[in-house]
């Protein structure tokens, strides 16, 4: 037989595009359209959204199809009136705002209201219809958001900031009429869509593909192109047989769940996300109200709270569907946060605040972590999520790896402490599924665990900017529930999927360690102010809780429960996976900077109130140190080595004297611990550890070396730092002068490109401190600060949440080579068998550690901090302006010393008049770091202490509270008793901890 496969496919494609789909909606009556544009703000910028009551009372003007509307980020309200003919069959209003493409969430969208303010549904390019009834007198108000189409892409644009975005209208009304939806044509389109998607996924050699093709040919012969509605039923009859064949017994099983990934900010500001949530949820509830098979899930308690606060009537409709099990809260987090850079306690609070909100408001305890789009996953997560009461973990993002394909889709993920959590990656490689045949086929063929497991999960619904599932997607699900050649599709809850998957595959393989994403490495650095604000807010929250608890225990102040909860919410929101990583538009990051400034101001007031009350009215000088080092009984607050004001004899002294010929006009910093040689350009050329009598730098090595590289990735500017950036590098050359105003320090100044910098180098005990201030005006360049360290090693340690991870620094495998830029929190440590040195920071996350041949034999390591980038998309002004970074190198430090240096930079002690108080809790015997001290969330007055083992070693410790304790219990992160054998003896309070174990204790007074 002659091969006519392509001919049939092309014929089908044109008929569907030009005849079938246009015939679904037939205009039957005109609409009267009026419009009111929200006026500009008082500062001349685009007007902010208004409530329905304000909009309804506004003065509207006539409008029509073809009219332009909407400056970027503006809001226009359309008033639609008219009459639906009484004899209309399946009537709907179609209102097209003038979309530039078919992608929802990335351009204009709208929300339809009735005259009483109740919501109908949202409108977007894939969902432009409004349900109406025959004979209805139409009276609808449509809030339309003129969100500009910023991307995704890589072209710099000024549209991401309301101060620079266009004031000209960017959209044109393209359709506004009452239509009849021809059901037969609609169903024909659904049949053809599913069968076409299926046959295109089958091999040319598969007989099933040819049977479907010839069924298409018969259907097209039965269809009259000029009378599609009149002949659609006949065409459908020709497809009935191929649609009726059941799936193969061994067909892959897909658990489909309605979903709408809504970035809490990205190419739109947070204020727009609030409206996106309402539009999407209105669409979902409309489908739930009119169908019986959709099950939908939604993450992020923050988005649920926005819904409750801004659309209470819609929230109550959702609550009813939650109770029926069809609208499912998932994830149990405040937002779908970044997990690389978020601090340990903040990571715990993401789960605590999210899960508790769902319990309090909806009576639902989420059991699955839902993080489909974050940019890699810390190895600390398995323990954290287990301690928050979760059983399962879902992500999809690792499918974006550019080098190595992850070997599993269903597996046990093991964290740094040995905790394991059952994990699934949807093999469809999307969290915005449409249930198209190509996606279903890819899920089945791509599934890495076939033969051992038979099922996977597929979230379906338009996402990133929201939108959610559509009726067309539900039609696909119904037709593929059992269809020969296709996976079996069943709409069900994530919990149902996970329970079945775990039961089917209990001995799934184990992946130990972080889930490193081999792309988006630049997100550890982009938008430095956002990252600095986050780091500072996290540490201020620690201080505020600690000192407020202490003062409350003493009866000196009331614990500020509500204020702290509100501030935590702000910080957690700004840890969303496109805010903290620095991958959002300018508007978002300007708002984040303002948020962190407000948080700092309010927390400083809380801290000041508490420590002032604790210090009393004496004339002495009181020191308040919130670091966990101060709580160790072997390192009391009054003798902490790095507190320079208490240890003046150990400050460095500047000495100018003769030097080796290789160093021109040297400047020396010397104290009891270190001798540091700085050349005339500001580069450290020698660090002699006087205690160990060892040179820290390799022969010819350097520390405090600023280096700049070109940074023009292949795509995803703010996200990506591509490996080839390393091919070109320039060392910056500054000029040293002794700063007479600062005893014991060396000042460096320099210029490069359009930028300038200054540094102050000083000694503090066994630590070299470097404060770097940069006036940054580069474009598409990256700035690094390098430290050569003379240790021979093939690995480095990096602080992460509640511990540290060890990564290879060699490139033996493609997995190793792909980790050329990694994330660390406050410190990085390199060590050989007999010596170690740490590099600490106060706000830097991006790092690279490389090995080099050492003159004379062996290797040395270079640790580099990534200080600044200058991407131009999506924010063309990323990081322009002034920045200050504090770094330190700590020769001879082990993990404990590295941690001490990290806390010294991030939690400096406070000084007030009065008397110093002893720590509220001391840790004796071994080493455990107290991560948080707070009062219990139930307002019982119980003191909650969270601590962890930081060194990676088993230890036993004794906890010594500075108050009377009646009872001690171990609790989970939500402060609920753990159902297991008692870990804690209470007299004294003793703990036996495994490496990196987190323990939360509840102390009843």
């Amino acid at each position: 037989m002659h091969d006519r496969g392509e001919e049939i496919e092309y014929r089908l494609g044109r008929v569907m595009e030009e005849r079938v789909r246009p015939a679904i909606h037939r205009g039957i009556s005109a609409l009267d359209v009026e419009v009111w544009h929200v006026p500009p703000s008082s500062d001349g910028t685009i007007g902010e959204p208004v409530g329905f009551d304000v909009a309804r009372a506004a003065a509207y003007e006539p409008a029509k199809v073809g009219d332009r509307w909407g400056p970027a980020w503006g809001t226009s309200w359309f008033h639609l009136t008219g009459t639906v003919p009484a004899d209309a069959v399946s009537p709907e209003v179609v209102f097209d705002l003038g979309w530039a493409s078919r992608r929802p969430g990335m351009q204009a969208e709208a929300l339809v209201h009735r005259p009483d303010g109740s919501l109908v549904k949202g409108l977007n390019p894939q969902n432009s219809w409004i349900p109406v009834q025959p004979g209805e007198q139409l009276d609808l108000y449509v809030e339309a958001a003129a969100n500009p189409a910023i991307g995704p892409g890589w072209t710099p644009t000024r549209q991401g900031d309301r101060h620079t975005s266009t004031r000209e209208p960017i959209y044109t009304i393209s359709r506004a009429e009452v239509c009849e939806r021809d059901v037969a044509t609609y169903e024909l389109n659904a049949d053809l869509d599913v069968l076409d998607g299926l046959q295109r996924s089958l091999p040319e050699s598969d007989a099933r593909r040819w049977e479907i093709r010839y069924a298409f040919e018969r259907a097209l012969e039965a269809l009259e192109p000029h009378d599609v509605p009149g002949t659609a039923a006949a065409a459908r009859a020709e497809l009935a047989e191929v649609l009726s064949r059941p799936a193969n017994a061994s067909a892959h099983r897909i658990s489909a769940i309605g979903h709408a990934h809504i970035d809490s900010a990205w190419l739109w500001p947070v204020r727009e996300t609030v409206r996106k949530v309402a539009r999407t949820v209105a669409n979902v509830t409309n489908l739930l109200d009119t169908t019986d098979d959709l099950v939908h899930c939604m993450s992020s308690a923050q988005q649920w709270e926005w819904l409750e606060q801004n659309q209470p009537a819609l929230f109550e409709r959702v609550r009813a569907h939650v109770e029926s099990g069809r609208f499912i809260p998932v994830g149990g987090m405040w937002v779908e946060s970044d997990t690389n850079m978020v601090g340990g306690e903040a990571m715990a609070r993401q789960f605590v605040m999210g899960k508790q909100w769902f319990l309090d408001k909806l009576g639902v305890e989420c059991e699955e972590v839902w993080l489909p789009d974050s940019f890699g996953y810390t190895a600390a997560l398995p323990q954290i999520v287990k301690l928050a009461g979760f059983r399962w973990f879902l992500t999809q993002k690792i499918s974006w790896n550019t080098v190595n394909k992850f070997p599993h889709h269903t597996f046990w993920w093991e964290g740094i402490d040995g905790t394991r959590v059952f994990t699934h990656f949807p093999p469809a490689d999307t969290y915005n599924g449409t249930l198209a045949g190509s996606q279903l086929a890819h899920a089945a063929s791509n599934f890495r665990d076939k033969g051992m497991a038979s099922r996977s999960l597929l979230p379906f619904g338009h996402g990133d900017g929201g939108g959610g599932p559509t009726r067309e997607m539900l039609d696909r699900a119904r037709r593929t529930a059992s269809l020969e050649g296709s996976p079996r599709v069943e709409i069900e809850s994530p919990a149902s999927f996970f329970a079945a998957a775990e039961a089917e595959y209990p001995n799934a393989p184990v992946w130990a360690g972080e889930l490193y994403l081999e792309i988006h490495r630049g997100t550890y650095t982009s938008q430095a102010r956002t990252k600095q604000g986050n780091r500072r807010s996290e540490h201020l929250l620690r201080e505020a809780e600690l000192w407020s608890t202490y003062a409350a225990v003493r009866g000196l102040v009331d614990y500020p429960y509500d204020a702290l909860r509100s501030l935590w919410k702000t910080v957690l929101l700004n840890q969303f996976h496109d805010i903290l990583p620095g991958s959002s538009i300018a508007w978002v990051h300007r708002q984040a900077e303002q948020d962190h400034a407000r948080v700092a101001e309010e927390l400083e007031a809380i801290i000041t109130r508490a420590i002032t009350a604790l210090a009393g009215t004496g004339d002495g000088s009181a020191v308040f140190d919130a670091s966990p080092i101060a709580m160790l009984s072997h390192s009391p607050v009054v003798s902490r080595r790095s507190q320079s004001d208490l240890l003046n004899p150990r400050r460095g002294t500047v000495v100018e004297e003769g030097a080796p010929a290789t160093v021109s006009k040297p400047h020396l910093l010397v104290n009891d611990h270190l001798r540091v040689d700085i050349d005339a350009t500001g580069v450290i050329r020698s660090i002699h550890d006087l205690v160990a009598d060892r040179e820290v730098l390799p022969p010819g090595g350097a520390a405090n070396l600023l280096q700049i590289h070109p940074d023009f990735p292949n795509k995803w500017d703010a996200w990506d730092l591509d490996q080839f950036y390393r091919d070109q590098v320039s060392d910056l050359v500054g000029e040293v002068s002794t700063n007479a105003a600062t005893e014991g320090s060396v000042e460096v100044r320099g210029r490069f490109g359009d930028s300038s910098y200054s540094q102050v180098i000083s000694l503090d005990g066994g630590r070299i401190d470097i404060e770097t201030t940069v006036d940054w005006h580069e474009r598409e360049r990256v700035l690094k600060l390098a430290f050569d360290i003379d240790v021979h090693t093939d690995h480095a340690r990096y602080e992460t949440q509640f511990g540290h991870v060890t990564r290879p620094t060699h490139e033996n495998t493609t997995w190793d080579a792909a980790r050329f830029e990694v994330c660390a929190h406050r410190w990085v440590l390199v060590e050989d068998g007999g010596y170690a040195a740490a590099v600490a920071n106060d706000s830097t996350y991006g790092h690279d550690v490389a090995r080099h041949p050492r003159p004379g034999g062996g290797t040395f390591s270079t640790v580099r901090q990534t200080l600044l980038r200058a991407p131009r998309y999506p924010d063309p002004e990323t990081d322009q302006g002034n920045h200050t970074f504090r770094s330190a190198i700590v020769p001879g430090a082990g993990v404990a010393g590295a941690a001490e240096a990290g806390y010294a930079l991030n939690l400096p002690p406070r000084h007030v008049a009065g008397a110093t108080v002893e720590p509220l809790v001391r840790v004796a015997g071994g080493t455990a770091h107290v991560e948080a001290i707070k009062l219990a969330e139930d307002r019982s007055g119980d003191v909650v202490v969270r601590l962890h083992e930081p060194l990676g070693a088993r230890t036993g410790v004794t906890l010594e509270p500075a108050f009377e304790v009646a009872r001690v219990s171990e609790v989970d992160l939500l402060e609920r008793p753990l159902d297991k054998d008692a870990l804690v003896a209470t007299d004294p309070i003793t703990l036996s901890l495994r490496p990196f174990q987190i323990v939360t204790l509840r102390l009843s007074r």
Side-chain angles (χ1 to χ4, degrees), residues 764-994:
D764 195 341
R767 195 179 77 226
I768 306 165
D769 286 350
I770 302 164
E771 183 175 280
T772 303
T773 299
V774 185
D775 186 14
W776 181 248
H777 297 286
E778 303 307 298
R779 306 286 182 178
E780 296 167 343
R781 304 178 87 184
V782 59
L783 182 66
K784 296 258 187 178
L785 181 60
F787 301 86
D788 294 336
I789 301 174
D790 194 10
V791 295
H792 171 64
T793 183
D794 61 0
H795 66 274
R797 301 180 192 270
Y798 307 78
E799 189 191 29
T800 190
Q801 298 93 342
F802 301 106
H804 62 266
V805 294
T806 301
R807 300 181 178 111
T809 55
H810 58 66
E811 297 183 349
N812 285 1
T813 70
T814 55
W815 295 90
D816 303 326
R819 287 181 169 89
F820 60 83
E821 181 84 0
V822 295
C823 183
H825 286 204
R826 289 166 291 216
W827 55 265
V828 174
L829 178 79
V830 290
E831 60 190 333
D832 58 21
Y835 195 78
V839 175
N841 71 82
D842 76 336
S843 58
T844 301
Y845 296 95
H847 292 77
D848 71 90
V849 181
R851 305 165 76 240
H852 308 282
R854 180 185 184 277
T859 67
F860 70 90
S861 294
T862 300
V863 177
R864 297 201 301 171
Q865 298 174 335
T866 312
L867 301 184
L868 288 165
R869 299 184 66 227
R872 299 180 63 205
Y873 177 85
D875 176 7
E877 299 297 322
T878 299
D879 282 332
Q880 301 298 295
N882 283 290
H883 304 268
T884 297
F885 306 91
R886 296 181 66 212
S887 307
I889 179 169
V890 192
V895 171
E900 180 175 356
Y903 283 115
L905 294 183
N906 287 272
L907 271 174
R910 294 174 180 269
H911 303 270
V912 298
T916 298
V917 297
E918 289 298 305
L920 182 59
V921 171
R922 283 194 185 278
V923 177
T927 298
H929 285 175
V930 174
E931 191 71 17
I933 298 179
K934 59 188 288 293
L935 291 190
E937 292 297 320
D938 62 8
R939 307 195 179 194
S940 63
D942 290 354
V943 176
V944 173
V945 179
R946 187 156 23 256
L947 66 164
H948 73 281
E949 193 291 313
L951 307 181
R954 291 189 179 275
T955 191
V957 298
T958 300
L959 207 67
E960 301 172 348
F963 55 92
E964 291 294 324
V965 176
R967 182 165 44 91
V968 180
S969 56
E970 186 185 2
V971 295
D972 68 6
L973 296 185
L974 277 71
E975 301 169 8
R976 304 174 297 189
L978 285 174
D979 184 19
K980 66 178 188 179
D981 294 338
L983 171 80
V984 186
T986 58
D987 189 19
I989 304 172
T990 58
L991 300 168
S992 179
L993 302 176
R994 66 178 184 272

Side-chain angles (χ1 to χ4, degrees), residues 472-529:
E472 290 80 8
M473 297 174 193
L474 292 177
D475 289 326
R476 291 171 183 156
R478 294 167 190 139
R479 286 164 171 78
T480 54
S482 180
L483 179 63
E484 183 186 357
S486 170
R488 295 179 184 268
V489 175
E490 180 179 2
I491 298 177
E492 62 179 352
S493 70
S496 297
F497 160 76
F498 271 110
E502 186 176 0
E504 175 186 57
Y505 202 19
N507 297 316
V510 176
W511 179 271
E514 68 183 325
L515 296 174
Y516 178 85
L517 181 64
E518 295 174 354
I519 195 172
H520 294 358
R521 302 169 184 88
T523 58
Y524 311 144
T525 304
S526 296
Q527 298 287 358
R529 293 184 189 90

Side-chain angles (χ1 to χ4, degrees), residues 160-161 164 266 527 584-592 874-877:
D161 190 332
T164 59
W266 180 30
Q527 298 287 358
S584 290
I585 56 174
W587 188 344
V588 172
H589 291 290
R590 185 178 64 252
Q591 183 63 56
D875 176 7
E877 299 297 322

